[in-house]
Amino acid sequence: MMNIHNLSISFQGEYLFQDLTFKLGNGDRVGLIGKNGAGKSTLLRILSREMEPDTGQIATDKTLKIGFLKQDIDFEYGKTVLEESYEAFKEIKDIEAQLEDINTQLAERSDYESEAYHQLMVDVNELQHQYEILGGYNYQGNTEKILQGLGFQRDDFNMLTDTFSGGWRMRIELAKLLLQNNDILLLDEPTNHLDIESIIWLEGFLKNYAGAVVIVSHDKMFLDNVTNRTIEISSGRIYDYPKPYSKYMVLREELKTQQLASQKNQQKQIEHTEKLIEKFRAKASKASMAQSLIKKLDRIERIEVDEHDHSVMTLHFPVSVVPGKVVIEAHQVSKNYGSNQVLKDVNLLIERDSKTAFVGQNGQGKSTLAKIIVGEIKHEGRLKLGHNVQIGYFAQNQAEYLDGNKTVLDTMIDAANESNRSKVRDILGSFLFRGDEVEKYVRVLSGGERNRLALAKLMLQPFNVLIMDEPTNHLDMKSKQVLKEALKHYQGTLILVSHDRDFLQGLSNKVYEFKDRKIKEYLGDIDYYLESRNVENLREVEKRTVVKEQPREKKQQSYETQKKLKSLNNKLSSVEAKIGQLEKDIKSVDLELEINYQEVTSEPDFFDNYQKMKTDLQDLMQKWEEIQLEIEQFVD
């Protein structure tokens, strides 16, 4: 499907990566990992042909269609959800415009016998035929179906996209990608700004995706649930293994241990040989033997141990003056965006040195309340900050406030004051911006690097209340851990908005759940909250907040019905197991074909057996559908 050969790219004279070679085939779901700034997003831009590499080639079929979901989505303001979704059908929309123009001309003209009028009629017929082939009569229905599958209601279709949160706009972009029937999907941080419901839906879609998928993500659970292959970019080269993230990391450590042991043994042999050479050199009778050993030593291929880039940022949040006992007090706070009410009569009390987590589904008002607290948006009701309260705020889209035309160093110097301007380079160094990297323009930084720079800016002013809205978006695994450790040791008051249970563990002693325009207080950490809700993780909580309809009463089932249903479920499980095994067998054969086509296809009856496997798989899928329909008749 896509062959990448000797791909290299450099910035400011230094290679970001060099001579990358790998293949992408149908069914590949690749997790592309590496530290911030390693070149993951750059590689996706090259694969999408948005950017040219310095050297190397990318070979694909001429008809290959590539869909690219970027970290930062650019929406035109003033479009409705449907209008933005229809952007997936540029060719169809162009034909619609041409048809409208021709039909207008036909209605206005009266020269029915002229050659020009006849040509317009011919053009209409040709365009209508092309329109039908492209699916012009079905695209609107398909669009509405996909949007509803992604959680939109019909009432949302004609609302402007700029009235929706970042997570919902991301869903629109996903809908556009799905409607385009792409062969390869390139997804750059697709779970950023998505709530758990959306993430689970996306996982399900990607697991069944027939083409190839390349995903850049720092969400371990998402990568483990979706991917079947991991490519890591580290120190300018790649490590490619057919394993999801967690299994890859174990394998990577095992390989490094083996390499170290082999290297150690080889070094012993080399030292022994060198001693023999020195010993034989002194004797004329052994000179030829010494020369033979020297040649043998030169031929030895030295075992190299894969080097990982272990550099991490250092982080410490400064604390200012001690505030009053109550730092934030909200009474009957409400907020609507037009007809959409997000918060209603919310009461909140945050005390000094408390650690609070805001949790809940997207669109329930978590970020809105954070913005109200920092005075960024207007609201109804009363909100009062306590004595000497000084707030440090990290917004969900904090990196967007950075000026792309400034360098990293200028960004910091402009935000500094007389007392800390001399410390700017030290602060940048602790955030891994060292040497010439401080002269990089912000516009060329990766999402993770921009987030690191935004965090570095927070260090310039001391504060006693820290509000962080999804601070781990774009941060690599190591940076997330460093941030967590820094927040654990923060001596001030902390408010965290996050969907990440692993990150929240140990960081809060109070949880506010946002649901149905209200908030509910839980006096304990995130584990206590989940235990109180009788669920294992935040995914389950957020899935449960999605239910919009009242559950129907279950029908009383007879013994015979229950027996029949049990039998059908057993059959379904059996068929599913066979499908899983066949898919695995076909995948294994496909892999063999890629590696050694000639040898594999030389086997007698190979193609007959291969086709039979595919036919059997189709039959099993048909059987699965039939059993599923039978089960649904009993359940409905």
Side-chain angles (χ1 to χ4, degrees):
M1 184 182 284
M2 180 181 276
N3 290 331
I4 296 92
H5 184 67
N6 285 345
L7 217 60
S8 302
I9 193 160
S10 59
F11 288 106
Q12 298 176 342
E14 286 189 19
Y15 277 105
L16 190 59
F17 48 73
Q18 192 171 9
D19 297 331
L20 304 191
T21 298
F22 59 95
K23 291 181 181 179
L24 291 176
N26 284 326
D28 278 343
R29 296 189 294 277
V30 180
L32 182 60
I33 66 170
K35 71 166 207 166
N36 291 142
K40 304 183 296 295
S41 297
T42 299
L43 181 56
L44 290 192
R45 285 199 290 272
I46 292 172
L47 296 181
S48 70
R49 300 191 179 93
E50 268 197 9
M51 186 176 182
E52 287 292 323
D54 293 341
T55 62
Q57 295 176 327
I58 300 176
T60 64
D61 299 333
K62 289 182 180 178
T63 57
L64 191 80
K65 292 174 67 179
I66 300 173
F68 184 20
L69 183 72
K70 304 175 189 176
Q71 283 184 11
D72 304 309
I73 303 170
D74 296 322
F75 273 101
E76 286 183 32
Y77 289 99
K79 285 187 178 179
T80 65
V81 171
L82 273 180
E83 287 169 345
E84 184 62 45
S85 300
Y86 290 158
E87 289 295 305
F89 306 99
K90 289 188 182 297
E91 203 172 348
I92 289 175
K93 299 299 287 182
D94 287 344
I95 293 174
E96 281 184 344
Q98 292 178 59
L99 284 170
E100 187 178 351
D101 180 53
I102 293 173
N103 285 325
T104 301
Q105 291 184 55
L106 290 172
E108 292 174 349
R109 297 176 67 147
S110 56
D111 54 334
Y112 308 122
E113 303 301 324
S114 70
E115 188 176 332
Y117 192 90
H118 175 70
Q119 185 59 48
L120 287 174
M121 294 294 292
V122 171
D123 290 344
V124 163
N125 284 331
E126 286 181 357
L127 285 169
Q128 284 179 336
H129 180 63
Q130 192 178 353
Y131 188 73
E132 185 177 359
I133 289 172
L134 291 171
Y137 298 108
N138 302 319
Y139 82 92
Q140 292 179 334
N142 290 339
T143 301
E144 292 182 11
K145 183 180 175 183
I146 290 288
L147 286 172
Q148 286 179 310
L150 285 167
F152 288 93
Q153 303 297 311
R154 286 194 171 274
D155 294 343
D156 300 327
F157 290 170
N158 294 313
M159 290 178 65
L160 296 177
T161 57
D162 33 296
T163 63
F164 288 88
S165 67
W168 286 97
R169 290 204 294 270
M170 182 73 83
R171 294 190 207 198
I172 299 170
E173 195 68 14
L174 277 171
K176 286 158 64 178
L177 287 180
L178 306 190
L179 289 163
Q180 288 167 349
N181 295 318
N182 294 293
D183 300 300
I184 295 179
L185 283 181
L186 307 174
L187 307 178
D188 197 355
E189 297 286 6
T191 61
N192 280 358
H193 311 305
L194 287 188
D195 56 31
I196 304 303
E197 178 204 3
S198 317
I199 292 172
I200 292 169
W201 181 89
L202 182 58
E203 285 178 357
F205 171 77
L206 293 176
K207 283 177 188 175
N208 299 307
Y209 188 68
V213 187
V214 182
I215 305 163
V216 172
S217 179
H218 298 122
D219 184 333
K220 289 188 288 187
M221 186 181 290
F222 180 72
L223 289 174
D224 282 341
N225 287 345
V226 171
T227 63
N228 54 20
R229 178 179 170 192
T230 299
I231 295 178
E232 180 183 10
I233 303 179
S234 179
S235 301
R237 58 172 294 191
I238 62 168
Y239 303 90
D240 186 354
Y241 291 91
K243 299 284 182 185
Y245 176 79
S246 292
K247 289 181 179 177
Y248 161 76
M249 294 306 290
V250 172
L251 194 65
R252 195 84 173 78
E253 285 305 311
E254 288 176 357
L255 180 66
K256 190 171 181 181
T257 303
Q258 290 170 7
Q259 286 176 332
L260 283 167
S262 300
Q263 187 188 55
K264 192 176 179 180
N265 288 334
Q266 187 187 63
Q267 191 57 38
K268 282 181 180 178
Q269 290 175 3
I270 289 170
E271 288 171 3
H272 177 67
T273 305
E274 286 173 342
K275 285 178 181 176
L276 286 175
I277 291 169
E278 288 302 315
K279 185 178 177 183
F280 293 158
R281 265 180 178 162
K283 299 177 181 178
S285 61
K286 302 286 186 179
S288 61
M289 192 176 290
Q291 288 301 316
S292 176
L293 288 171
I294 289 169
K295 288 178 182 178
K296 180 184 175 184
L297 204 59
D298 289 341
R299 287 196 299 269
I300 290 177
E301 189 175 332
R302 299 297 201 270
I303 295 170
E304 292 183 7
V305 177
D306 296 335
E307 290 297 325
H308 280 285
D309 190 341
H310 294 292
S311 56
V312 293
M313 64 180 181
T314 53
L315 188 52
H316 174 73
F317 292 104
V319 181
S320 61
V321 297
V322 177
K325 183 170 174 55
V326 175
V327 294
I328 301 166
E329 189 174 3
H331 183 68
Q332 301 290 294
V333 168
S334 300
K335 176 64 183 176
N336 13 296
Y337 297 96
S339 60
N340 180 25
Q341 183 150 38
V342 180
L343 297 172
K344 185 178 181 182
D345 298 332
V346 166
N347 298 309
L348 176 79
L349 184 73
I350 302 290
E351 295 185 336
R352 182 180 62 220
D353 299 338
S354 61
K355 314 291 182 189
T356 305
F358 286 179
V359 302
Q361 190 188 18
N362 268 9
Q364 295 291 332
K366 304 184 300 295
S367 297
T368 295
L369 186 55
K371 290 174 182 176
I372 288 172
I373 292 171
V374 299
E376 195 172 292
I377 56 176
K378 294 180 180 178
H379 62 281
E380 295 175 3
R382 183 169 62 88
L383 187 131
K384 181 184 175 186
L385 299 182
H387 178 64
N388 275 341
V389 167
Q390 297 171 351
I391 296 178
Y393 175 49
F394 188 91
Q396 188 175 118
N397 58 341
Q398 187 72 39
E400 293 175 18
Y401 293 102
L402 301 172
D403 186 344
N405 294 317
K406 288 183 180 180
T407 66
V408 170
L409 183 60
D410 288 341
T411 299
M412 290 290 284
I413 288 174
D414 292 348
N417 54 39
E418 291 299 324
S419 65
N420 58 24
R421 195 162 286 133
S422 61
K423 299 177 184 176
V424 160
R425 281 186 178 271
D426 291 337
I427 294 172
L428 284 173
S430 69
F431 281 82
L432 304 183
F433 295 107
R434 295 162 184 161
D436 292 340
E437 289 186 337
V438 301
E439 300 300 335
K440 280 185 178 179
Y441 282 98
V442 171
R443 62 175 175 267
V444 305
L445 299 180
S446 70
E449 287 173 318
R450 287 200 297 271
N451 258 27
R452 288 210 314 262
L453 180 56
L455 281 170
K457 279 184 71 179
L458 268 181
M459 302 296 100
L460 294 171
Q461 299 294 336
F463 38 80
N464 48 34
V465 177
L466 179 56
I467 300 175
M468 306 199 87
D469 190 353
E470 298 291 358
T472 60
N473 283 351
H474 305 297
L475 289 183
D476 59 44
M477 312 293 187
K478 291 175 185 174
S479 297
K480 278 168 72 170
Q481 191 57 37
V482 170
L483 175 59
K484 180 172 180 175
E485 288 302 314
L487 293 174
K488 273 184 181 178
H489 295 100
Y490 177 57
Q491 298 298 310
T493 306
L494 178 64
I495 296 176
L496 273 175
V497 181
S498 180
H499 296 290
D500 190 333
R501 175 186 179 173
D502 289 339
F503 183 72
L504 287 175
Q505 276 180 325
L507 289 181
S508 63
N509 50 32
K510 184 194 293 185
V511 175
Y512 281 106
E513 180 187 28
F514 286 64
K515 184 179 177 184
D516 299 330
R517 299 179 293 282
K518 299 285 188 181
I519 64 174
K520 185 175 180 181
E521 184 182 63
Y522 291 81
L523 295 174
D525 63 7
I526 194 68
D527 291 329
Y528 169 78
Y529 160 71
L530 292 170
E531 190 179 325
S532 301
R533 290 294 308 273
N534 196 28
V535 291
E536 290 186 6
N537 54 55
L538 288 175
R539 290 184 167 219
E540 290 299 317
V541 172
E542 295 194 23
K543 277 167 68 179
R544 294 184 185 197
T545 65
V546 178
V547 180
K548 297 180 177 72
E549 298 178 0
Q550 291 296 320
R552 293 176 292 179
E553 281 188 39
K554 279 191 175 180
K555 294 177 182 176
Q556 282 294 109
Q557 295 177 337
S558 66
Y559 173 74
E560 287 301 319
T561 301
Q562 292 177 27
K563 188 176 176 182
K564 177 69 173 173
L565 194 57
K566 185 177 180 181
S567 172
L568 286 170
N569 279 316
N570 288 338
K571 284 183 183 177
L572 191 71
S573 297
S574 174
V575 170
E576 284 175 346
K578 289 176 182 175
I579 288 171
Q581 186 58 49
L582 254 182
E583 285 178 334
K584 192 183 293 183
D585 293 344
I586 291 170
K587 177 73 176 172
S588 177
V589 174
D590 288 341
L591 191 62
E592 285 289 323
L593 282 169
E594 280 187 30
I595 296 169
N596 200 342
Y597 180 86
Q598 293 293 340
E599 186 179 330
V600 173
T601 54
S602 64
E603 294 177 11
D605 302 326
F606 167 78
F607 286 106
D608 290 340
N609 294 333
Y610 185 53
Q611 188 55 48
K612 184 178 183 304
M613 289 168 73
K614 292 198 168 185
T615 305
D616 289 348
L617 182 60
Q618 288 177 347
D619 292 343
L620 283 168
M621 293 297 286
Q622 180 65 35
K623 192 172 182 181
W624 184 90
E625 287 182 21
E626 291 168 2
I627 298 171
Q628 190 67 45
L629 283 172
E630 275 193 79
I631 290 173
E632 286 175 5
Q633 289 175 6
F634 284 99
V635 174
D636 286 346

